Amino acid sequence: MIKTGQTPRLTVVVPCYNEEPMLPTSARVLRDLMQQLMMRRQITVDSKILFVDDGSRDQTWALIEQLQHHDAVFTGLKFSRNYGQEAALMAGMQAAQQFSDLIITIDADLQDDPQLIPQMIEQARAGSDIVYGVRNDRSTDTWFKRSTAQGFYWIMRKLSVNLVPNHSDFRLMSRRAVSALMQYHEAKPFIRGIIPQLGFPTTKLFYKRQPRQAGTSKYPLRKMIHFALDGLLSFSTAPIRAVLYAGIGICGTTLIMLLWILVQHMRGVVVTGWSSIMLSVWFLGGFQLVAISIIGEYVGRIFTETKHRPRFIIQMDTYSAAFTQTTSLTTPIRFENQSTR
Ligand code: UDP
Ligand code: MG
């Protein structure tokens, strides 16, 4: 959300990992777009494109340096090594938030349609704090990628993690939404899961995703599985609960087994020792699962506590604004953090 009548300063954050073949084209497209937006006064003339070099091993950083030498719209951040796309996005947004009214994140390969950016800005002017770019057509993805993605969204929904299906990391956020995001201090933030938790007025814009034009995907299967597991485990302690229920179920079954074992024992159709061994196996198995899950529950609580997620996020604060000269929109949003207890 931005003040009506005010031209927003935009920063486009672009994570880059070994994007040497793609970067010159992407930089040109993005620069042209920024120039158009500046001419139409949709963004300020000091808006920036921020490339975050995620420890590339090719000439990506040299290219970024060259670009910023030629045009002041380009800027860069360079990681000391590869930390992953999520870290690159967080770093870019963190750097951008203090200087920008609006922040857009987009992949360096421009598979996501940059021509959606003007509409995103319009939506922000109309009052949205978060504008999601959502793919309405995944026909360019392989069958495997499509179906694993669908399975992932299904599981996450079952675990009541609220994701925006078919949205990757192409989105616009207002400054206050980004500063709310920065209150999530976990080491491995699953950004796509956190953003819907932030609240604020949001909109979705739809587009068709293009195939990658140069370079290769930086997400081989191994990295995709890691990403999915990170998302699942960082948002849910449901697997621990599942173990607890399994343990209780097995303990319950032990009672039925007890009857069955007694009957067999009475009928005398069993070898010596069978009854006691059967009973111990069932009872101990169930009991151990319950015991493990109890430890798990404590570990799970430590896990959620150590994340220091904000307890709440304030969208408007007219109280503090009443005591300051500035309006409520420019008043920094206050957060209460679990660590300040
Ligand atoms: N990326 C990154 N660090 C990584 C992997 C990827 O910064 O460790 C960037 C990459 O340069 C690109 C974006 O994340 O801008 C998405 O990667 P890619 O296009 O390879 O993913 P895909 O579209 O195949 O899912
Ligand atoms: Mg891509």
Side-chain angles (χ1 to χ4, degrees), residues 119-339:
Q119 288 175 52
M120 286 179 149
I121 296 169
E122 281 312 306
Q123 292 294 333
R125 301 196 95 139
S128 290
D129 282 88
I130 302 170
V131 185
Y132 295 107
V134 179
R135 282 171 272 174
N136 56 4
D137 180 349
R138 292 190 76 132
S139 55
T140 52
D141 279 350
T142 59
W143 173 85
F144 180 74
K145 191 150 186 172
R146 258 196 320 253
S147 40
T148 46
Q150 256 159 20
F152 179 64
Y153 293 129
W154 184 82
I155 293 176
M156 294 299 269
R157 209 168 41 241
K158 289 281 162 210
L159 297 177
S160 50
V161 183
N162 190 6
L163 293 183
V164 179
N166 299 326
H167 159 69
S168 47
D169 286 300
F170 181 32
R171 76 179 80 80
L172 172 145
M173 291 175 85
S174 66
R175 184 206 310 223
R176 64 179 185 185
V178 171
S179 56
L181 173 66
M182 292 302 147
Q183 297 304 306
Y184 286 70
H185 293 293
E186 48 219 82
K188 279 190 164 184
F190 183 61
I191 302 177
R192 290 178 211 181
I194 296 175
I195 289 177
Q197 283 194 345
L198 298 177
F200 296 115
T202 56
T203 338
K204 289 179 198 159
L205 289 178
F206 294 90
Y207 66 98
K208 183 174 188 292
R209 198 172 206 226
Q210 303 299 325
R212 190 183 249 276
Q213 274 161 21
T216 50
S217 170
K218 309 298 177 292
Y219 277 93
L221 184 62
R222 180 180 53 84
K223 261 196 182 170
M224 259 163 66
I225 294 174
H226 272 206
F227 181 69
L229 274 181
D230 273 351
L232 207 135
L233 294 178
S234 72
F235 263 85
S236 170
T237 48
I240 300 174
R241 279 286 150 82
V243 174
L244 176 67
Y245 294 141
I248 293 174
I250 290 174
C251 283
T253 321
T254 309
L255 290 177
I256 303 167
M257 286 306 285
L258 177 69
L259 288 178
W260 166 244
I261 290 164
L262 278 179
V263 169
Q264 293 295 78
H265 190 76
M266 300 292 185
R267 288 172 64 205
V269 290
V270 296
V271 289
T272 326
W274 180 83
S275 318
S276 51
I277 287 178
M278 277 306 275
L279 204 61
S280 327
V281 166
W282 276 88
F283 178 70
L284 284 178
F287 183 73
Q288 276 176 355
L289 281 186
V290 173
I292 290 171
S293 70
I294 289 173
I295 299 172
E297 287 283 337
Y298 285 107
V299 176
R301 274 169 178 65
I302 296 170
F303 164 77
T304 27
E305 282 291 319
T306 49
K307 284 198 213 287
H308 294 306
R309 287 188 171 179
R311 267 200 227 111
F312 48 76
I313 292 164
I314 296 170
Q315 181 169 322
M316 283 286 186
D317 177 2
T318 56
Y319 177 82
S320 307
F323 294 101
T324 52
Q325 293 299 311
T326 46
T327 67
S328 60
L329 283 180
T330 47
T331 307
I333 312 151
R334 288 178 303 111
F335 299 94
E336 178 135 349
N337 209 296
Q338 286 180 338
S339 56

Side-chain angles (χ1 to χ4, degrees), residues 10-16 30 34 48-53 75 77 85-97 100 102-108 110 117 169-171 178 182:
L10 171 73
T11 300
V12 180
V13 174
V14 190
C16 306
L30 287 176
M34 294 290 273
K48 299 283 178 213
I49 297 169
L50 171 55
F51 293 112
V52 184
D53 178 7
T75 53
L77 275 183
Q85 187 189 359
E86 305 261 295
L89 288 171
M90 288 301 270
M93 286 191 275
Q94 189 176 34
Q97 66 162 340
S100 324
L102 301 177
I103 295 174
I104 290 177
T105 52
I106 188 167
D107 287 356
L110 299 191
I117 290 178
D169 286 300
F170 181 32
R171 76 179 80 80
V178 171
M182 292 302 147

